[in-house]
Amino acid sequence: MAILQANEVHYTYKSKYQAVHAVQGISHSFAEGKFYAIVGKSGCGKTTFLSMLAGLSLPTEGTVCYDGKSTAELNRDKYRRDDIALICQSYNLFPLLTVQENVMYPMQLRNVPARRAKETATEKLRDVGLDESYFKRLPAMLSGGEQQRVAIARALASDARIILADEPTGNLDTENSGNIIAILHRLAHDNGYCVIVVTHDPGIAAAADEVLHLKDGRLVEE
């Protein structure tokens, strides 16, 4: 059963001089326990579509539904905080917080007790292959692949059911890209997350259960 559903969604950017139809009538359903890749050339609407799935923006036409309810009717701050975990290409770690503190931070915003937040952070960091030797390091002391693992651990600590990732391997070499792909694949298949990744990386597309090809804002067959 679908946890997330796009129903004929459109998104138009309007300025004083023009209207750009970035997404045009995309419909698709996304289920837990599956790994999805969204691919296409730059400017095809991938990131705009992901933004609507994340509740960062609302469709100008159509609906995005989470558990059967339109995101337009949800408390979108709560939806983004509790139900969506967003992973970006640039990691977005806090440079003056340790690895463990970075993962604890979103839980502290939700008033999770410090002891439980620390235990959860430890568990999630181990899930992505980082042991205690990393916990007290600052992000600048880590490789790009290690920073992305911390970002994934932080996303997992939210207890969200949906993981959305925008070019998560874009800054990584082949070996680290392969490690991140394996983690995302495992999170979908072994842990039951709905994982949706926007990517140019053919390795992610090859590992995905479903690949959505976008062209000029539309979903196309390949």
Side-chain angles (χ1 to χ4, degrees):
M1 181 177 176
I3 186 174
L4 197 60
Q5 176 81 43
N7 303 303
E8 284 294 318
V9 295
H10 295 249
Y11 194 87
T12 302
Y13 293 97
K14 292 183 179 180
S15 72
K16 181 178 178 180
Y17 303 104
Q18 64 177 340
V20 177
H21 303 292
V23 172
Q24 303 184 64
I26 294 178
S27 295
H28 200 78
S29 59
F30 302 91
E32 290 176 286
K34 295 191 73 173
F35 182 12
Y36 301 85
I38 302 174
V39 303
K41 294 181 179 179
S42 296
C44 72
K46 302 187 302 296
T47 296
T48 300
F49 182 52
L50 195 76
S51 177
M52 288 188 286
L53 295 179
L56 295 170
S57 57
L58 293 173
T60 48
E61 293 181 45
T63 57
V64 172
C65 294
Y66 169 70
D67 267 354
K69 190 168 184 179
S70 170
T71 53
E73 301 171 3
L74 297 175
N75 178 331
R76 286 193 291 134
D77 288 336
K78 184 177 185 300
Y79 171 63
R80 291 191 298 266
R81 183 181 66 242
D82 297 342
D83 302 308
I84 294 291
L86 189 59
I87 301 166
C88 300
Q89 179 178 348
S90 56
Y91 321 134
N92 290 340
L93 301 179
F94 296 105
L96 299 182
L97 297 184
T98 67
V99 163
Q100 190 173 58
E101 289 167 344
N102 263 282
V103 179
M104 291 173 63
Y105 183 75
M107 291 182 281
Q108 293 169 330
L109 290 180
R110 303 199 314 275
N111 298 314
V112 174
R115 181 176 178 180
R116 192 170 73 181
K118 190 172 184 178
E119 289 172 350
T120 300
T122 297
E123 174 190 342
K124 301 307 180 185
L125 285 165
R126 286 175 176 163
D127 284 347
V128 298
L130 297 177
D131 61 29
E132 286 85 347
S133 66
Y134 290 89
F135 291 2
K136 301 302 180 185
R137 300 185 194 181
L138 296 173
M141 302 166 68
L142 305 178
S143 70
E146 289 164 349
Q147 289 187 59
Q148 191 61 289
R149 290 184 187 217
V150 176
I152 293 173
R154 184 174 60 185
L156 298 179
S158 70
D159 282 333
R161 300 162 68 189
I162 300 168
I163 297 175
L164 303 179
D166 192 358
E167 298 288 0
T169 61
N171 289 332
L172 304 180
D173 59 27
T174 301
E175 181 179 358
N176 278 305
S177 293
N179 292 334
I180 296 303
I181 292 167
I183 290 169
L184 294 173
H185 188 274
R186 185 175 74 246
L187 291 172
H189 289 192
D190 296 348
N191 300 93
Y193 290 92
C194 174
V195 179
I196 306 171
V197 182
V198 161
T199 186
H200 286 100
D201 188 337
I204 290 182
D209 299 306
E210 288 188 33
V211 181
L212 283 68
H213 297 268
L214 268 61
K215 182 178 181 181
D216 298 328
R218 301 179 186 277
L219 191 59
V220 297
E221 296 291 337
E222 289 260 339

